[in-house]
Amino acid sequence: MSAGVRFPAIGTTAHLIVTDETALPPAEALLRELLATVDTACSRFREDSALSQLNRAGSGSDVDPILLDALRVALRAAAQTDGAVDPTLGTAMIELGYDRTFAEVPASSPLPVQPAAPARHAWRRVRIEDGAVTLPRGVRLDLGATAKAWAADVAADRIARGLGVGALVNLGGDVAVAGESPAAGWKVRVAADHAAVRGGQVLALRTGGLATSSVSVRSWQRADRSLHHVLDPATGLPAPRVWRYVSVCAAGCVDANTASTASLVLGRGAPGWLAARRLPARLVAVDGSVTTVAGWPEDSLGEAA
Amino acid sequence: MAQRLHPVARDAAVRRIAMITTGVVVASLAGTVGLGAAIAAATPAPSKSNKTDYGEADKNQPAAPAPPVLPGQPVPPPVQPGQQVQPEQPVQPAPPEQLPESSSGDEDTTSGGS
């Protein structure tokens, strides 16, 4: 019989479900340990994290192996999307006001923001060699677009292999499944907010990963400007609001989240981009209209987007 | 000065010319077909990336899943001096092995923005 647990972690909510309730305690312990190591390595909000140290110094030798792996995943996402998903936008994010955990970011402020446009494709000049990392001058890394999804993939895989159970790991809406799923599949609701209990659509997921990127949850106001956390690398500003949220299903959660984030940046070009890669996706526009791609299942309930 | 051939000799010459001509034509055709096959084998099929298709995914095409990157995985050996290295093409985000299905009822969890 399936059993699950929720707890706060890495600035969001972790939700773990396993198909055998007796495996839940060791699975939870495994997940908590993994998230602690990822936080220590990759959090840009901790002064003592390996990432913060690297960002301050601009380079590092013998870098934390967890950070190295997370960085490789982020750079691969940048290469896959030709820079639409870019881990070198840390400075722009800070200049826009997202310089602390989101819970601490003021919802509104009269102070205007005008960040400088970031260097284009700076991710191509990040050097990794023999455990050492060198960043382009002035670049600060932000792994927020890929680190959660990567952690979800790793955790689900380790739990399933190590404990011989089916596992679902949801980190702030980034969902990874591994092992044998329940007979009817894992039931996952896709919606604008990972805390939603209605609206959107319910799916049965059996393999891989599912991620949803949204412009409406992590948003804040600066002077007369409405901001959100998915930046356009070309401008360093939030991507224009074409889609309110995009959900993508892929072979893994990292791939799904890479595609969903890229979709928000690509705007009207997203459906074609997703279709060319045969990635099932559901895109909800700001006016509420829904576009589906590459075999995304029809909505049997027809709930509000 | 041209010499008029005996009819028998003339006919034999005509047959030889016909045989040679036929041989040349056949050899040329074979060479053209072979060259075309070689070109086709060396040239990849046109990409479908410009095609906007919002329909069903091709279920006959198996999707290669992207394995998760695990800490501690072995790194590839260093490039030797003089070794030619092809630039690594990034693997694209991979489709799922199984498409999700429509469902109903209470969900186990929610995928949404956070």
Side-chain angles (χ1 to χ4, degrees), chain A residues 158-183:
Chain A
R158 283 187 180 173
I159 291 169
R161 289 174 188 267
L163 301 177
V165 297
L168 178 149
V169 175
N170 181 351
L171 300 178
D174 294 345
V175 177
V177 302
E180 190 165 343
S181 67

Side-chain angles (χ1 to χ4, degrees), chain A residues 15 17 66 69 73 79-80 150 154 158 170 172-173 186-194 196-197 202-204 206-207 211-212 214 217-218 249-251 255 271 275 277-280 294-295 297-298 300, chain B residues 48-49 51-58 61-73 75 90-114:
Chain A
H15 187 192
I17 312 174
I66 303 293
D69 284 333
V73 169
Q80 289 174 338
W150 172 64
V154 173
R158 283 187 180 173
N170 181 351
W186 299 103
K187 290 190 177 181
V188 183
R189 179 180 297 278
V190 294
D193 190 327
H194 78 294
V197 294
V202 179
L203 304 174
R206 298 179 193 281
T207 64
T212 299
S214 164
V217 177
R218 295 207 181 201
C249 191
D255 281 358
R277 289 152 181 78
R278 299 186 290 126
L279 292 169
E298 276 194 33
S300 58
Chain B
K48 294 182 180 177
S49 61
K51 180 180 176 184
T52 301
D53 182 0
Y54 296 177
E56 288 271 325
D58 184 352
Q61 293 278 347
V69 176
L70 300 177
Q73 271 189 328
V75 296
V91 175
Q92 290 295 312
E97 289 182 9
Q98 284 184 266
L99 288 175
E101 299 165 7
S102 185
S103 186
S104 60
D106 292 337
E107 67 274 13
D108 294 313
T109 195
T110 299
S111 173
S114 64

Side-chain angles (χ1 to χ4, degrees), chain A:
Chain A
M1 187 171 176
S2 294
V5 63
R6 280 188 172 88
F7 54 90
I10 54 172
T12 185
T13 304
H15 187 192
L16 166 66
I17 312 174
V18 292
T19 52
D20 179 355
E21 59 186 348
T22 63
L24 185 60
E28 180 183 350
L30 195 156
L31 178 59
R32 285 183 181 272
E33 182 184 358
L34 175 69
L35 294 181
T37 60
V38 170
D39 192 55
T40 301
C42 303
S43 171
R44 67 180 175 96
F45 305 121
R46 292 177 54 154
E47 291 290 314
D48 63 341
S49 73
L51 178 63
S52 292
Q53 294 175 36
L54 177 60
N55 277 339
R56 282 193 298 269
S59 64
S61 58
D62 199 23
V63 171
D64 186 318
I66 303 293
L67 176 58
L68 279 180
D69 284 333
L71 178 55
R72 289 191 181 101
V73 169
L75 292 175
R76 187 178 70 177
Q80 289 174 338
T81 61
D82 196 25
V85 180
D86 188 336
T88 62
L89 302 181
T91 299
M93 200 71 81
I94 291 170
E95 291 179 345
L96 288 171
Y98 193 178
D99 56 356
R100 64 203 76 179
T101 64
F102 191 73
E104 299 169 319
V105 173
S108 65
S109 166
L111 298 175
V113 292
Q114 192 60 48
R120 287 292 276 144
H121 297 297
W123 60 272
R124 295 188 196 275
R125 292 181 281 123
V126 174
R127 293 284 173 258
I128 302 176
E129 188 174 356
D130 295 331
V133 178
T134 305
L135 303 180
R137 185 187 301 274
V139 162
R140 299 175 76 92
L141 296 175
D142 173 11
L143 305 184
T146 51
K148 272 205 323 284
W150 172 64
D153 274 334
V154 173
D157 185 75
R158 283 187 180 173
I159 291 169
R161 289 174 188 267
L163 301 177
V165 297
L168 178 149
V169 175
N170 181 351
L171 300 178
D174 294 345
V175 177
V177 302
E180 190 165 343
S181 67
W186 299 103
K187 290 190 177 181
V188 183
R189 179 180 297 278
V190 294
D193 190 327
H194 78 294
V197 294
R198 62 175 62 87
Q201 184 181 0
V202 179
L203 304 174
L205 186 69
R206 298 179 193 281
T207 64
L210 172 59
T212 299
S213 296
S214 164
V215 299
S216 57
V217 177
R218 295 207 181 201
S219 60
W220 63 101
Q221 192 84 14
R222 287 294 178 272
D224 60 347
R225 200 168 233 176
S226 177
L227 307 172
H228 63 80
H229 74 300
V230 180
L231 304 188
D232 182 345
T235 62
L237 295 172
R241 283 182 166 90
V242 173
W243 309 108
R244 188 154 62 94
Y245 68 99
V246 176
S247 303
V248 180
C249 191
C253 193
V254 168
D255 281 358
N257 195 52
T258 296
S260 63
T261 303
S263 296
L264 294 181
V265 176
L266 294 171
R268 301 197 189 287
W273 187 90
L274 292 163
R277 289 152 181 78
R278 299 186 290 126
L279 292 169
R282 180 176 187 266
L283 305 93
V284 180
V286 292
D287 65 1
S289 59
V290 177
T291 300
T292 58
V293 180
W296 184 276
E298 276 194 33
D299 185 356
S300 58
L301 293 179
E303 295 187 10

